Amino acid sequence: MADRTRATTIADVAQRAGVSQASVSRVLNGKQNVDPAIATRVHDAVAALRYTPSIAARSLVHGRNDTVAMVVPDLENPLFQGILKGLSLAAAADGYRVLVADTAEQSGEEAAIAREARHRCDAIVLCAPRMPAAQLRALAPLLAPAVVVNRSLDDLAVPTVGVDYARGMRDLVEHLAALGHRRLVFLAGPDASSSQAERMRGLRDAVTALPGVSVDTLACGSRLDDGHRSGEAVAAAVRAGASAVIAFNDLVALGLMPRLVELGLRIPEDVSVAGFDDVPLARYATPPLTSMSVPRSELGAQVWSRLRALIAGEPSEHALLFRPRLEHRASTAPPSRARRPAGVREALLAESEVPA
């Protein structure tokens, strides 16, 4: 009987089963060339002694521990939660676990956290990293196997998967213009966010392509309370003639909407509100929130597809960029006739009246 004052070892299992430690190791590692009778004795001994193989020891033997890390800037964001879920489900099907590190939007800590996470895991996912481009270019190869999500750099040495935020933002502006909105407000996200820069590029492209449409940008953030705090500034913009608001993401929009109601504004009668990412709560908002839908789980699955290939020493698949899809809901509508600006193109208005 093993000494219960210490942890049970593989030697204890071997002694109880009456076999060598090498035989125990072969059984526990699923080797096929083991006598079935020996395998049965080993499994019986493991059960009797309640033996649990040491993860650290197995890592030393195999050179891997079947875990990968995902570093995110803000785990409260449902977009990152959805990507994590897709990654975790896909990785689990291959016997891998996913560990998560949240940098809390502290870009100065990202590199150190990523290096530590990679040291503990077989591979790493950098999700929407906020660090400067030069730092990311230098760091990414040192973390390999690695995949970067929502950060596109032409000369980045690791695979990337992301969302075409510029195209999505342009589509969203075109949707609002089709409804008759000409003066818009954009609640900007974190300055260090790469997707913020892409959103701004999409806004500029849309304004260039749609004469008469203008967008005023207000500093905001990426969280619920950021949207709530921006309520007064948005209300002032509405009083000055703006008729629609685009939030950096759905969290900002969901924080903004109740504050606008508190300030006496009706949505969408007085101001239309749109978000980005189409998080699960968007459709249950009051009113339901118009948003650009991002395939969160599929993003995670595609990340794992590339990471799995890298871990196996195979070439990774090509870079992938998803185009968001408009989900038109009740939070956006044509401006009220009393406030509708002149000069709106009838073709755009007609298009907006086609049932979704």
Side-chain angles (χ1 to χ4, degrees):
M1 182 87 178
D3 182 358
R4 305 310 295 169
T5 63
R6 62 176 176 81
T8 302
T9 68
I10 194 171
D12 298 324
V13 175
Q15 181 179 5
R16 184 179 182 93
V19 299
S20 68
Q21 294 185 37
S23 293
V24 174
S25 179
R26 284 196 297 271
V27 171
L28 296 181
N29 287 310
K31 301 297 184 181
Q32 300 301 312
N33 59 338
V34 179
D35 186 304
I38 292 178
T40 298
R41 283 154 55 189
V42 169
H43 287 304
D44 289 346
V46 167
L49 297 176
R50 298 181 182 178
Y51 171 69
T52 301
S54 166
I55 294 177
R58 294 186 67 182
S59 297
L60 289 173
V61 172
H62 297 289
R64 58 183 176 82
N65 56 26
D66 297 337
T67 62
V68 298
M70 178 171 167
V71 179
V72 299
D74 180 11
L75 195 52
E76 290 183 359
N77 190 322
L79 171 65
F80 301 140
Q81 294 172 13
I83 295 173
L84 173 61
K85 181 177 181 180
L87 171 62
S88 297
L89 289 174
D94 288 318
Y96 276 78
R97 300 176 300 276
V98 180
L99 306 181
V100 185
D102 185 345
T103 64
E105 294 286 359
Q106 301 299 311
S107 60
E109 300 297 320
E110 276 187 326
I113 291 173
R115 284 193 295 267
E116 181 178 354
R118 175 62 183 89
H119 180 70
R120 297 170 182 269
C121 299
D122 298 330
I124 192 167
V125 178
L126 297 179
C127 191
R130 307 305 201 205
M131 67 186 74
Q135 185 179 20
L136 179 58
R137 287 190 182 96
L139 177 66
L142 304 178
L143 301 177
V147 173
V148 172
V149 182
N150 278 350
R151 184 72 183 270
S152 179
L153 293 174
D154 292 337
D155 54 351
L156 198 60
V158 299
T160 59
V161 176
V163 176
D164 191 345
Y165 288 103
R167 179 69 260 188
M169 189 61 71
R170 180 169 175 173
D171 290 344
L172 189 49
V173 173
E174 289 175 353
H175 161 69
L176 293 170
L179 293 174
H181 298 280
R182 308 297 278 177
R183 184 172 174 185
L184 316 178
V185 172
F186 173 57
L187 296 180
D191 291 336
S193 167
S194 174
S195 68
Q196 161 65 16
E198 288 298 295
R199 283 168 167 85
M200 291 300 298
R201 182 166 69 85
L203 288 176
R204 291 191 295 269
D205 290 346
V207 169
T208 299
L210 296 170
V213 172
S214 65
V215 180
D216 297 323
T217 299
L218 300 178
C220 183
S222 61
R223 299 178 176 177
L224 281 166
D225 52 357
D226 294 325
H228 195 269
R229 282 193 297 267
S230 70
E232 285 78 2
V234 171
V238 172
R239 289 193 297 270
S243 61
V245 181
I246 297 174
F248 173 77
N249 61 19
D250 287 350
L251 286 184
V252 170
L254 293 170
L256 170 69
M257 291 167 68
R259 182 56 181 149
L260 293 181
V261 173
E262 292 170 358
L263 294 171
L265 292 174
R266 299 167 301 165
I267 304 169
E269 293 85 355
D270 297 321
V271 58
S272 287
V273 178
F276 211 111
D277 294 338
D278 193 28
V279 303
L281 287 177
R283 69 184 64 187
Y284 302 114
T286 304
L289 178 65
T290 292
S291 187
M292 298 302 297
S293 181
V294 172
R296 299 176 298 277
S297 291
E298 179 62 16
L299 271 167
Q302 290 294 332
V303 167
W304 175 246
S305 175
R306 285 151 178 76
L307 206 58
R308 178 181 56 196
L310 294 174
I311 292 172
E314 301 170 358
S316 175
E317 300 175 56
H318 57 82
L320 184 63
L321 201 61
F322 287 92
R323 178 174 175 174
R325 182 185 70 251
L326 175 69
E327 292 291 345
H328 181 193
R329 301 190 180 102
S331 69
T332 57
S336 64
R337 294 195 177 275
R339 301 178 64 252
R340 182 174 295 170
V344 175
R345 291 177 291 178
E346 293 303 318
L348 288 176
L349 280 174
E351 179 184 341
S352 72
E353 294 171 356
V354 176

